[in-house]
Amino acid sequence: MDKSNIKFWNERRRQLKDNLDAKRLPCAVGVVESKFAENVGGIIRTANAFLIEEIILDKKVYNKSATAGTANWENIKVEENIFDYLKQNNYAIIALEQHERSVPLWDFKFPLKSAIIPGHEVFGMSDEMVALCDHVIEIPQFGLVESLNVATATSIALYEYCRQHRGNKI
Ligand SMILES: C[S@@+](CC[C@H](N)C(=O)[O-])C[C@H]1O[C@@H](n2cnc3c(N)ncnc32)[C@H](O)[C@@H]1O
């Protein structure tokens, strides 16, 4: 490809990204702990579908394969302390967890500036981590299996945030 072509495609890419950025809602997902890169990739893909502001990954979670593809269009940050970052940036911090403090998702009114924190695939979220969060939300379930896959649960929570704050605006 000659240099003028590269310049053209870089400019086109920048325009597309600016166009997406203008439509983002002030919502973040913070992944503090994760065992499987596929789940992080799934969360990034949903974040893209709903055009949220940013995805914050703990240094230990960051993995190039999880952030390939869709991630090129998203705002991904790697932080040593996700909670410090979210507090400094005035997010309401919302644990996504089945917990004694939780309220059902359908009763929860998301603050406009919300950060959703899912737990670990195997261990869930520790009480210490839940205590760092302003709210705890739970997706009611009715089947025999007690919990959802973490990327699925995050997708449902993001859908509901988006339903409340975007409505049918695009
Ligand atoms: C597979 S679950 C963890 C289950 C773990 N074995 C436990 O008992 O804590 C992984 C994560 O998905 C999210 N999750 C799954 N089902 C959920 C639900 N019904 N409501 C809210 N979060 C859920 C939570 O963030 C949880 O930490």
Side-chain angles (χ1 to χ4, degrees):
M1 204 186 287
D2 72 31
K3 276 197 175 142
S4 60
N5 255 344
I6 294 172
K7 209 170 151 206
F8 171 84
W9 285 112
N10 280 343
E11 179 56 17
R12 183 82 188 107
R13 197 183 120 75
R14 195 189 58 73
Q15 284 169 0
L16 286 169
K17 178 80 168 48
D18 286 352
N19 193 23
L20 291 182
D21 286 347
K23 294 177 181 161
R24 290 183 190 277
L25 291 169
C27 176
V29 173
V31 185
V32 182
E33 299 178 312
S34 176
K35 187 170 182 209
F36 302 112
E38 297 85 338
N39 286 330
V40 179
I43 289 169
I44 294 169
R45 195 155 166 180
T46 303
N48 173 261
F50 295 126
L51 278 182
I52 65 164
E53 185 65 35
E54 53 188 355
I55 300 135
I56 323 295
L57 304 179
D58 186 274
K59 264 172 93 173
K60 297 186 295 297
V61 165
Y62 179 73
N63 174 320
K64 274 218 178 327
S65 69
T67 58
T70 315
N72 291 327
W73 299 102
E74 293 311 294
N75 300 320
I76 296 180
K77 293 196 175 123
V78 181
E79 291 291 330
E80 251 173 70
N81 189 321
I82 291 185
F83 288 94
D84 283 353
Y85 174 86
L86 295 174
K87 283 186 179 135
Q88 279 157 16
N89 287 279
N90 302 314
Y91 280 101
I93 305 179
I94 298 158
L96 178 62
E97 193 53 88
Q98 296 162 305
H99 191 268
E100 59 194 13
R101 260 182 73 199
S102 68
V103 298
L105 179 62
W106 54 47
D107 288 338
F108 187 68
K109 174 91 184 73
F110 279 96
L112 181 60
K113 192 149 185 186
S114 284
I116 297 170
I117 312 283
H120 186 275
E121 291 92 337
V122 181
F123 308 116
M125 194 181 297
S126 68
D127 285 343
E128 290 74 23
M129 205 183 285
V130 172
L132 296 174
C133 298
D134 303 307
H135 308 274
V136 189
I137 55 171
E138 174 167 351
I139 301 156
Q141 293 188 215
F142 309 99
L144 286 179
V145 180
E146 283 171 5
S147 64
L148 292 157
N149 161 274
V150 67
T152 305
T154 307
S155 298
I156 293 170
L158 283 176
Y159 170 84
E160 177 58 17
Y161 169 88
C162 194
R163 188 190 70 78
Q164 290 183 16
H165 288 294
R166 193 184 291 284
N168 55 10
K169 292 193 296 286
I170 45 168

PDB file of all heavy atoms in Angstrom, residues 120-136:
ATOM      1  N   HIS A 120     -15.099 -12.956  39.709  1.00  0.00           N
ATOM      2  CA  HIS A 120     -14.254 -14.000  39.112  1.00  0.00           C
ATOM      3  C   HIS A 120     -15.130 -15.198  38.698  1.00  0.00           C
ATOM      4  O   HIS A 120     -16.099 -15.527  39.392  1.00  0.00           O
ATOM      5  CB  HIS A 120     -13.219 -14.431  40.168  1.00  0.00           C
ATOM      6  CG  HIS A 120     -12.201 -15.396  39.663  1.00  0.00           C
ATOM      7  ND1 HIS A 120     -12.431 -16.757  39.632  1.00  0.00           N
ATOM      8  CD2 HIS A 120     -10.956 -15.193  39.165  1.00  0.00           C
ATOM      9  CE1 HIS A 120     -11.351 -17.355  39.143  1.00  0.00           C
ATOM     10  NE2 HIS A 120     -10.439 -16.424  38.849  1.00  0.00           N
ATOM     11  N   GLU A 121     -14.764 -15.853  37.602  1.00  0.00           N
ATOM     12  CA  GLU A 121     -15.570 -16.962  37.065  1.00  0.00           C
ATOM     13  C   GLU A 121     -15.760 -18.099  38.066  1.00  0.00           C
ATOM     14  O   GLU A 121     -16.809 -18.748  38.091  1.00  0.00           O
ATOM     15  CB  GLU A 121     -14.905 -17.579  35.818  1.00  0.00           C
ATOM     16  CG  GLU A 121     -14.901 -16.695  34.607  1.00  0.00           C
ATOM     17  CD  GLU A 121     -13.634 -15.850  34.518  1.00  0.00           C
ATOM     18  OE1 GLU A 121     -12.991 -15.619  35.562  1.00  0.00           O
ATOM     19  OE2 GLU A 121     -13.306 -15.405  33.412  1.00  0.00           O
ATOM     20  N   VAL A 122     -14.748 -18.380  38.838  1.00  0.00           N
ATOM     21  CA  VAL A 122     -14.812 -19.528  39.750  1.00  0.00           C
ATOM     22  C   VAL A 122     -15.140 -19.086  41.176  1.00  0.00           C
ATOM     23  O   VAL A 122     -15.977 -19.686  41.848  1.00  0.00           O
ATOM     24  CB  VAL A 122     -13.463 -20.302  39.737  1.00  0.00           C
ATOM     25  CG1 VAL A 122     -13.532 -21.505  40.676  1.00  0.00           C
ATOM     26  CG2 VAL A 122     -13.113 -20.730  38.320  1.00  0.00           C
ATOM     27  N   PHE A 123     -14.512 -18.031  41.617  1.00  0.00           N
ATOM     28  CA  PHE A 123     -14.625 -17.652  43.037  1.00  0.00           C
ATOM     29  C   PHE A 123     -15.663 -16.554  43.300  1.00  0.00           C
ATOM     30  O   PHE A 123     -15.931 -16.217  44.450  1.00  0.00           O
ATOM     31  CB  PHE A 123     -13.255 -17.190  43.563  1.00  0.00           C
ATOM     32  CG  PHE A 123     -12.171 -18.192  43.289  1.00  0.00           C
ATOM     33  CD1 PHE A 123     -11.099 -17.895  42.454  1.00  0.00           C
ATOM     34  CD2 PHE A 123     -12.248 -19.474  43.843  1.00  0.00           C
ATOM     35  CE1 PHE A 123     -10.114 -18.839  42.181  1.00  0.00           C
ATOM     36  CE2 PHE A 123     -11.269 -20.420  43.573  1.00  0.00           C
ATOM     37  CZ  PHE A 123     -10.194 -20.102  42.734  1.00  0.00           C
ATOM     38  N   GLY A 124     -16.229 -15.986  42.242  1.00  0.00           N
ATOM     39  CA  GLY A 124     -17.143 -14.863  42.446  1.00  0.00           C
ATOM     40  C   GLY A 124     -16.366 -13.665  42.996  1.00  0.00           C
ATOM     41  O   GLY A 124     -15.158 -13.530  42.769  1.00  0.00           O
ATOM     42  N   MET A 125     -17.075 -12.795  43.725  1.00  0.00           N
ATOM     43  CA  MET A 125     -16.426 -11.583  44.257  1.00  0.00           C
ATOM     44  C   MET A 125     -16.332 -11.699  45.784  1.00  0.00           C
ATOM     45  O   MET A 125     -17.312 -12.074  46.434  1.00  0.00           O
ATOM     46  CB  MET A 125     -17.269 -10.357  43.873  1.00  0.00           C
ATOM     47  CG  MET A 125     -16.530  -9.060  44.079  1.00  0.00           C
ATOM     48  SD  MET A 125     -17.551  -7.632  43.653  1.00  0.00           S
ATOM     49  CE  MET A 125     -17.825  -7.868  41.936  1.00  0.00           C
ATOM     50  N   SER A 126     -15.181 -11.376  46.316  1.00  0.00           N
ATOM     51  CA  SER A 126     -14.998 -11.479  47.775  1.00  0.00           C
ATOM     52  C   SER A 126     -15.846 -10.411  48.479  1.00  0.00           C
ATOM     53  O   SER A 126     -16.155  -9.364  47.900  1.00  0.00           O
ATOM     54  CB  SER A 126     -13.520 -11.277  48.135  1.00  0.00           C
ATOM     55  OG  SER A 126     -13.155  -9.942  47.861  1.00  0.00           O
ATOM     56  N   ASP A 127     -16.178 -10.676  49.745  1.00  0.00           N
ATOM     57  CA  ASP A 127     -16.927  -9.685  50.531  1.00  0.00           C
ATOM     58  C   ASP A 127     -16.132  -8.383  50.638  1.00  0.00           C
ATOM     59  O   ASP A 127     -16.715  -7.299  50.650  1.00  0.00           O
ATOM     60  CB  ASP A 127     -17.207 -10.223  51.947  1.00  0.00           C
ATOM     61  CG  ASP A 127     -18.312 -11.262  51.930  1.00  0.00           C
ATOM     62  OD1 ASP A 127     -19.059 -11.334  50.928  1.00  0.00           O
ATOM     63  OD2 ASP A 127     -18.421 -12.007  52.916  1.00  0.00           O
ATOM     64  N   GLU A 128     -14.815  -8.502  50.705  1.00  0.00           N
ATOM     65  CA  GLU A 128     -13.972  -7.292  50.811  1.00  0.00           C
ATOM     66  C   GLU A 128     -14.147  -6.429  49.557  1.00  0.00           C
ATOM     67  O   GLU A 128     -14.229  -5.206  49.625  1.00  0.00           O
ATOM     68  CB  GLU A 128     -12.479  -7.649  50.950  1.00  0.00           C
ATOM     69  CG  GLU A 128     -12.087  -8.288  52.269  1.00  0.00           C
ATOM     70  CD  GLU A 128     -12.554  -9.746  52.403  1.00  0.00           C
ATOM     71  OE1 GLU A 128     -12.783 -10.416  51.370  1.00  0.00           O
ATOM     72  OE2 GLU A 128     -12.708 -10.197  53.558  1.00  0.00           O
ATOM     73  N   MET A 129     -14.211  -7.091  48.414  1.00  0.00           N
ATOM     74  CA  MET A 129     -14.364  -6.322  47.167  1.00  0.00           C
ATOM     75  C   MET A 129     -15.783  -5.751  47.056  1.00  0.00           C
ATOM     76  O   MET A 129     -15.961  -4.608  46.650  1.00  0.00           O
ATOM     77  CB  MET A 129     -14.028  -7.193  45.955  1.00  0.00           C
ATOM     78  CG  MET A 129     -13.578  -6.352  44.784  1.00  0.00           C
ATOM     79  SD  MET A 129     -13.267  -7.327  43.330  1.00  0.00           S
ATOM     80  CE  MET A 129     -11.729  -8.076  43.731  1.00  0.00           C
ATOM     81  N   VAL A 130     -16.765  -6.545  47.462  1.00  0.00           N
ATOM     82  CA  VAL A 130     -18.147  -6.040  47.439  1.00  0.00           C
ATOM     83  C   VAL A 130     -18.238  -4.786  48.321  1.00  0.00           C
ATOM     84  O   VAL A 130     -18.915  -3.807  47.967  1.00  0.00           O
ATOM     85  CB  VAL A 130     -19.151  -7.123  47.913  1.00  0.00           C
ATOM     86  CG1 VAL A 130     -20.541  -6.529  48.081  1.00  0.00           C
ATOM     87  CG2 VAL A 130     -19.192  -8.285  46.916  1.00  0.00           C
ATOM     88  N   ALA A 131     -17.517  -4.797  49.442  1.00  0.00           N
ATOM     89  CA  ALA A 131     -17.590  -3.662  50.377  1.00  0.00           C
ATOM     90  C   ALA A 131     -17.046  -2.369  49.748  1.00  0.00           C
ATOM     91  O   ALA A 131     -17.369  -1.268  50.198  1.00  0.00           O
ATOM     92  CB  ALA A 131     -16.813  -3.987  51.659  1.00  0.00           C
ATOM     93  N   LEU A 132     -16.228  -2.502  48.718  1.00  0.00           N
ATOM     94  CA  LEU A 132     -15.681  -1.302  48.047  1.00  0.00           C
ATOM     95  C   LEU A 132     -16.690  -0.689  47.069  1.00  0.00           C
ATOM     96  O   LEU A 132     -16.457   0.383  46.513  1.00  0.00           O
ATOM     97  CB  LEU A 132     -14.414  -1.666  47.266  1.00  0.00           C
ATOM     98  CG  LEU A 132     -13.213  -2.149  48.091  1.00  0.00           C
ATOM     99  CD1 LEU A 132     -12.096  -2.612  47.156  1.00  0.00           C
ATOM    100  CD2 LEU A 132     -12.720  -1.032  49.005  1.00  0.00           C
ATOM    101  N   CYS A 133     -17.811  -1.389  46.859  1.00  0.00           N
ATOM    102  CA  CYS A 133     -18.773  -0.944  45.833  1.00  0.00           C
ATOM    103  C   CYS A 133     -19.931  -0.168  46.468  1.00  0.00           C
ATOM    104  O   CYS A 133     -20.322  -0.431  47.601  1.00  0.00           O
ATOM    105  CB  CYS A 133     -19.318  -2.157  45.074  1.00  0.00           C
ATOM    106  SG  CYS A 133     -18.003  -3.053  44.207  1.00  0.00           S
ATOM    107  N   ASP A 134     -20.479   0.778  45.725  1.00  0.00           N
ATOM    108  CA  ASP A 134     -21.597   1.596  46.226  1.00  0.00           C
ATOM    109  C   ASP A 134     -22.918   0.833  46.186  1.00  0.00           C
ATOM    110  O   ASP A 134     -23.812   1.091  46.986  1.00  0.00           O
ATOM    111  CB  ASP A 134     -21.747   2.860  45.353  1.00  0.00           C
ATOM    112  CG  ASP A 134     -20.464   3.671  45.323  1.00  0.00           C
ATOM    113  OD1 ASP A 134     -19.958   3.995  46.410  1.00  0.00           O
ATOM    114  OD2 ASP A 134     -19.950   3.959  44.213  1.00  0.00           O
ATOM    115  N   HIS A 135     -23.072  -0.052  45.223  1.00  0.00           N
ATOM    116  CA  HIS A 135     -24.320  -0.804  45.050  1.00  0.00           C
ATOM    117  C   HIS A 135     -23.959  -2.229  44.641  1.00  0.00           C
ATOM    118  O   HIS A 135     -22.874  -2.472  44.107  1.00  0.00           O
ATOM    119  CB  HIS A 135     -25.184  -0.208  43.929  1.00  0.00           C
ATOM    120  CG  HIS A 135     -25.437   1.256  44.064  1.00  0.00           C
ATOM    121  ND1 HIS A 135     -26.467   1.761  44.816  1.00  0.00           N
ATOM    122  CD2 HIS A 135     -24.793   2.321  43.535  1.00  0.00           C
ATOM    123  CE1 HIS A 135     -26.454   3.076  44.756  1.00  0.00           C
ATOM    124  NE2 HIS A 135     -25.439   3.448  43.980  1.00  0.00           N
ATOM    125  N   VAL A 136     -24.929  -3.135  44.856  1.00  0.00           N
ATOM    126  CA  VAL A 136     -24.744  -4.522  44.391  1.00  0.00           C
ATOM    127  C   VAL A 136     -26.024  -4.925  43.670  1.00  0.00           C
ATOM    128  O   VAL A 136     -27.126  -4.752  44.209  1.00  0.00           O
ATOM    129  CB  VAL A 136     -24.497  -5.504  45.568  1.00  0.00           C
ATOM    130  CG1 VAL A 136     -24.088  -6.870  45.033  1.00  0.00           C
ATOM    131  CG2 VAL A 136     -23.455  -4.963  46.537  1.00  0.00           C
TER     132      VAL A 136
END
